[in-house]
């Protein structure tokens, strides 16, 4: 159950009689920049379609989803940082199977509601409100961050990266999928710069800053980065050494 208070939003897990109430205010950047995409119910329902996601990602949605799913093993305990439009989240729930556990967090109640509907019938999954930059001490086999970093201010990027890495169990991994600097000859380089300027104002810092360089505990992980589609997208995997 989700309800609004004068301090923000609260959620209660109805499956747990001892569940704690959580109240989180919607961040200013989210209200100012992305209200149309994530806080407007009508727009969110229109955008949460795989065909739309495929168009936004220039036909690369399936390829990027598969890159994530390739890192997931059946029976894994997985944390998904933020609801993702399209097919990815139910595909994660299916991939980990009945012996796995998928936890999805999002700071926006509307996104939590959409995700709950998407995961209806998956008993291995739970969705709740949480701040990806301030997490607890629970550990996961895999933490997935799919096109979240480009949507937050740079100081919050650092907090989220380090918070997510702190959730990784020994030998576990964090997968970051996001934008990256395209090659100079890329035909979409100029159009993407315009898109970033008017719709994604926090994205271009990923062009010149590696995710690894924003991690204070980088030495505790083995890092692997590859890019696709002329460098426009990156898949960065950090595997905890011990």
């Amino acid at each position: 159950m989700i309800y609004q208070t004068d301090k923000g939003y609260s959620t209660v897990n109805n499956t747990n009689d001892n569940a704690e109430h959580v109240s989180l205010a919607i961040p200013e950047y989210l209200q100012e920049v992305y209200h149309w995409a994530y806080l407007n119910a009508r727009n969110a329902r229109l955008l949460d379609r795989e065909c739309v996601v495929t168009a936004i990602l220039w036909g690369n949605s399936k390829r990027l989803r598969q890159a994530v799913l390739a890192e997931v093993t059946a029976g894994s305990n997985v944390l998904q940082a933020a609801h993702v439009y399209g097919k990815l989240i139910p595909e994660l729930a299916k991939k980990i199977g009945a012996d796995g556990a998928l936890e999805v967090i999002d700071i926006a109640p509307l996104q939590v509601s959409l995700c709950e509907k998407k995961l209806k019938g998956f008993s291995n999954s739970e969705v709740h409100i949480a701040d990806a930059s301030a997490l607890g001490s629970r550990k996961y086999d895999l933490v997935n961050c799919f096109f979240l970093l480009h949507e937050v201010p740079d100081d919050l990027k650092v907090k989220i990266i380090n918070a997510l890495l702190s959730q990784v169990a020994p030998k576990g991994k964090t997968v970051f999928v996001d934008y990256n600097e395209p090659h100079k000859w890329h035909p979409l380089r100029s159009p993407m710069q315009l898109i970033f300027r008017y719709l994604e104002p926090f994205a271009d810092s990923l062009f010149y800053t590696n995710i690894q360089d924003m991690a204070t505990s980088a030495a505790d992980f083995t890092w692997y980065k590859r890019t696709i589609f002329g460098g426009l997208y990156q898949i960065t995997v950090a595997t905890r050494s011990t």
Side-chain angles (χ1 to χ4, degrees):
M1 178 176 66
I2 302 169
Y3 58 94
Q4 188 171 7
T5 73
D6 58 352
K7 295 183 178 179
Y9 291 85
S10 298
T11 180
V12 179
N13 181 349
N14 290 321
T15 62
N16 184 351
D17 293 335
N18 297 317
E20 295 182 358
H21 291 208
V22 178
S23 181
L24 295 175
I26 300 296
E28 288 187 10
Y29 81 86
L30 186 56
Q31 297 186 57
E32 294 175 0
V33 180
Y34 291 108
H35 185 281
W36 66 276
Y38 298 118
L39 304 180
N40 180 291
R42 181 177 63 86
N43 289 350
R45 286 193 295 270
L46 291 173
L47 292 169
D48 193 8
R49 303 167 188 264
E50 187 57 35
C51 61
V52 175
V53 177
T54 297
I56 291 172
L57 296 177
W58 303 101
N60 289 279
S61 177
K62 183 177 181 180
R63 188 177 180 186
L64 291 165
R65 296 197 322 272
Q66 290 177 335
V68 174
L69 295 172
E71 303 292 339
V72 180
T73 57
S76 295
N77 186 18
V78 175
L79 173 65
Q80 169 63 44
H83 176 227
V84 176
Y85 288 162
K87 295 181 178 180
L88 175 62
I89 288 178
E91 287 179 340
L92 279 172
K94 184 177 181 180
K95 181 69 182 288
I96 63 175
D99 294 330
L102 172 63
E103 180 179 351
V104 185
I105 61 171
D106 202 292
I107 204 164
L110 173 61
Q111 296 302 315
V112 169
S113 178
L114 290 172
C115 192
E116 286 176 333
K117 293 177 182 178
K118 192 175 292 184
L119 288 172
K120 186 176 181 180
F122 286 97
S123 59
N124 62 351
S125 304
E126 62 175 290
V127 189
H128 61 90
I129 293 174
D131 183 345
S133 69
L135 300 171
S137 58
R138 188 173 177 181
K139 301 299 181 183
Y140 303 85
D141 301 312
L142 184 138
V143 177
N144 186 43
C145 185
F146 193 86
F147 284 94
L148 172 61
L149 296 180
H150 78 278
E151 294 183 333
V152 303
D154 290 350
D155 59 337
L156 192 53
K157 283 181 177 65
V158 174
K159 291 179 181 178
I160 290 175
I161 290 168
N162 286 291
L164 297 182
L165 291 174
S166 74
Q167 304 296 292
V168 180
K171 305 298 183 180
K173 63 184 70 173
T174 302
V175 181
F176 299 96
V177 177
D178 222 303
Y179 289 107
N180 187 75
E181 183 177 18
H183 300 318
K184 293 181 179 180
W185 49 260
H186 202 300
L188 293 175
R189 185 181 179 95
S190 294
M192 289 305 300
Q193 287 175 336
L194 288 175
I195 290 171
F196 290 161
R197 180 180 301 172
Y198 294 106
L199 295 177
E200 307 278 13
F202 311 120
D204 62 355
S205 63
L206 290 175
F207 281 18
Y208 52 80
T209 306
N210 284 320
I211 292 172
Q212 179 178 351
D213 294 336
M214 290 185 272
T216 58
S217 60
D220 296 332
F221 294 82
T222 300
W223 294 81
Y224 168 75
K225 175 181 177 179
R226 67 184 177 96
T227 62
I228 66 169
F229 198 57
L232 182 58
Y233 305 115
Q234 65 172 295
I235 301 102
T236 295
V237 180
T239 304
R240 186 177 288 280
S241 303
T242 57

